[in-house]
Amino acid sequence: MAIKDLSLSAKMTIDGFMNGINKSTVKGPGLEFSQYRSYQPGDDLRSLDWKMFARSDRYYIRESEVETNIAVRILIDASASMNHNDGDFTKIDYAKYLGASLAYLANLQGDAIGLYVLKNSGIFSMTPRQDYQHLARLFYQLEQIHPDGTFTKPIHYKELFAGAQKRELLIFVTDLYQKDDEIIKLLDTLNTLRHEIVVFHILSRNELDLDFKGYTNFEDLETGETIQIDQSKARKDYQHKLNAYLENTRIQLLDRRIFYRTITTDEALDQALRDFLKQRSKLRI
């Protein structure tokens, strides 16, 4: 994350990730046998079927059809609470790098990728496509995200995924900060479309541990409200309530058949990338 260029950072992240796993478990665009045809000058020699040559003493090209890959839509929560920081990085910084890495990996796997940025002014959308120019535009749009206001109003939800003809993989990166279950309502709307949904719940280490190094005044980034607490007295009760909240959230999403994972801003991206590959493979079966 010290590399400010998202495209370069994503490439380095994915190259390192791919070198660290068993490559035989990572599938590229699938090929299904279609037919044989006679060899023509200029054909790729790698497509010659040598078994057919041994049987017939003639050269044949083995033709295949590329399996239809999935569309991966990356949803980024850009409400003001994503400006929360821990050290040098904010939640939105982490979300951008995670989104860029997932997009790069999806493009590498032959999938169409789309981007949706959600905040109170509405929804910015990029329809999924599979080409490098589209990926470059997606990186640019990620870099332009500046969190502001509250989460997207439900009136905008109907704008999402109009015209989607098949099941897709939706990856939602959010801190799940909500006032009236607006994010749960969004997920319920997406669930009616029968897509595969992954929620990465972004948390910072200081909000998990309530370790703000002497701060006693806390401000809500979305409403501006402030509260003063004695950290030494509040920490135990806070962590008890936080754990109950996280467990309740996990159960809520599990009941909706939504894959849910908490991820902290001091955590490496590797496990999130593994989760992406797992869900992608599940969707293609």
Side-chain angles (χ1 to χ4, degrees):
M1 288 179 66
I3 302 173
K4 299 305 180 184
D5 185 286
L6 276 183
S7 60
L8 178 58
S9 175
K11 183 179 187 304
M12 293 185 67
T13 299
I14 297 304
D15 287 349
F17 171 72
M18 298 291 277
N19 288 333
I21 65 175
N22 182 350
K23 292 184 179 179
S24 67
T25 65
V26 181
K27 310 299 185 198
L31 295 177
E32 183 176 349
F33 172 71
S34 175
Q35 63 182 0
Y36 290 109
R37 65 170 174 80
S38 299
Y39 171 78
Q40 301 294 327
D43 284 335
D44 188 346
L45 296 178
R46 291 175 298 180
S47 299
L48 282 173
D49 191 301
W50 295 105
K51 292 182 179 179
M52 283 293 290
F53 173 74
R55 290 199 297 266
S56 64
D57 200 32
R58 295 181 63 184
Y59 293 110
Y60 286 95
I61 294 292
R62 181 183 176 93
E63 291 189 327
S64 301
E65 294 179 352
V66 178
E67 293 177 6
T68 302
N69 288 293
I70 65 171
V72 177
R73 302 187 189 238
I74 300 171
L75 288 70
I76 303 291
D77 178 352
S79 57
S81 61
M82 293 289 283
N83 278 320
H84 176 81
N85 71 294
D86 186 2
D88 296 330
F89 300 108
T90 62
K91 290 179 180 179
I92 196 63
D93 290 331
Y94 195 92
K96 289 179 182 181
Y97 282 94
L98 176 57
S101 298
L102 290 169
Y104 186 90
L105 180 55
N107 186 74
L108 193 67
Q109 293 285 292
D111 297 324
I113 49 173
L115 175 67
Y116 296 78
V117 182
L118 300 96
K119 55 182 175 181
N120 63 344
S121 57
I123 299 172
F124 169 83
S125 63
M126 286 182 67
T127 303
R129 289 180 58 188
Q130 206 287 316
D131 61 66
Y132 185 77
Q133 289 76 16
H134 185 74
L135 179 64
R137 289 193 293 271
L138 186 145
F139 287 145
Y140 173 79
Q141 293 298 336
L142 279 173
E143 290 171 345
Q144 304 312 304
I145 297 175
H146 300 289
D148 182 49
T150 57
F151 192 74
T152 302
K153 300 295 187 293
I155 191 173
H156 296 293
Y157 294 170
K158 62 183 179 182
E159 300 174 18
L160 288 167
F161 318 122
Q165 300 297 317
K166 60 181 181 179
R167 291 180 68 212
E168 300 175 342
L169 178 56
L170 313 182
I171 301 175
F172 186 24
V173 185
T174 175
D175 63 356
L176 277 173
Y177 185 90
Q178 55 185 338
K179 195 170 184 179
D180 298 308
D181 286 337
E182 54 269 24
I183 295 180
I184 294 297
K185 292 173 184 175
L186 167 63
L187 293 172
D188 284 339
T189 299
L190 299 180
N191 242 350
T192 62
L193 302 174
R194 301 186 181 278
H195 295 310
E196 193 80 14
I197 305 173
V198 174
V199 172
F200 286 114
H201 185 180
I202 303 289
L203 297 161
S204 62
R205 181 60 55 187
N206 56 16
E207 70 178 325
L208 283 175
D209 300 337
L210 196 63
D211 180 15
F212 288 90
K213 300 179 180 179
Y215 281 48
T216 56
N217 291 299
F218 294 86
E219 179 182 358
D220 186 315
L221 291 173
E222 297 190 6
T223 67
E225 297 177 23
T226 61
I227 186 173
Q228 187 176 68
I229 65 170
D230 181 341
Q231 290 188 68
S232 60
K233 295 180 179 178
R235 182 173 292 112
K236 184 176 181 180
D237 185 49
Y238 169 84
Q239 291 181 332
H240 174 74
K241 290 181 178 179
L242 176 63
N243 291 335
Y245 159 72
L246 293 175
E247 178 61 15
N248 180 63
T249 301
R250 186 186 70 83
I251 292 173
Q252 274 188 295
L253 299 191
L254 181 64
D255 288 344
R256 291 167 168 79
R257 297 180 179 274
I258 294 174
F259 181 91
Y260 169 77
R261 188 183 189 283
T262 58
I263 188 165
T264 57
T265 54
D266 60 353
E267 185 176 348
L269 295 175
D270 295 52
Q271 189 56 52
L273 298 174
R274 290 178 187 274
D275 291 340
F276 162 77
L277 288 176
K278 178 181 177 181
Q279 294 303 112
R280 180 189 180 279
S281 299
K282 179 179 177 182
L283 192 62
R284 289 185 55 170
I285 293 175

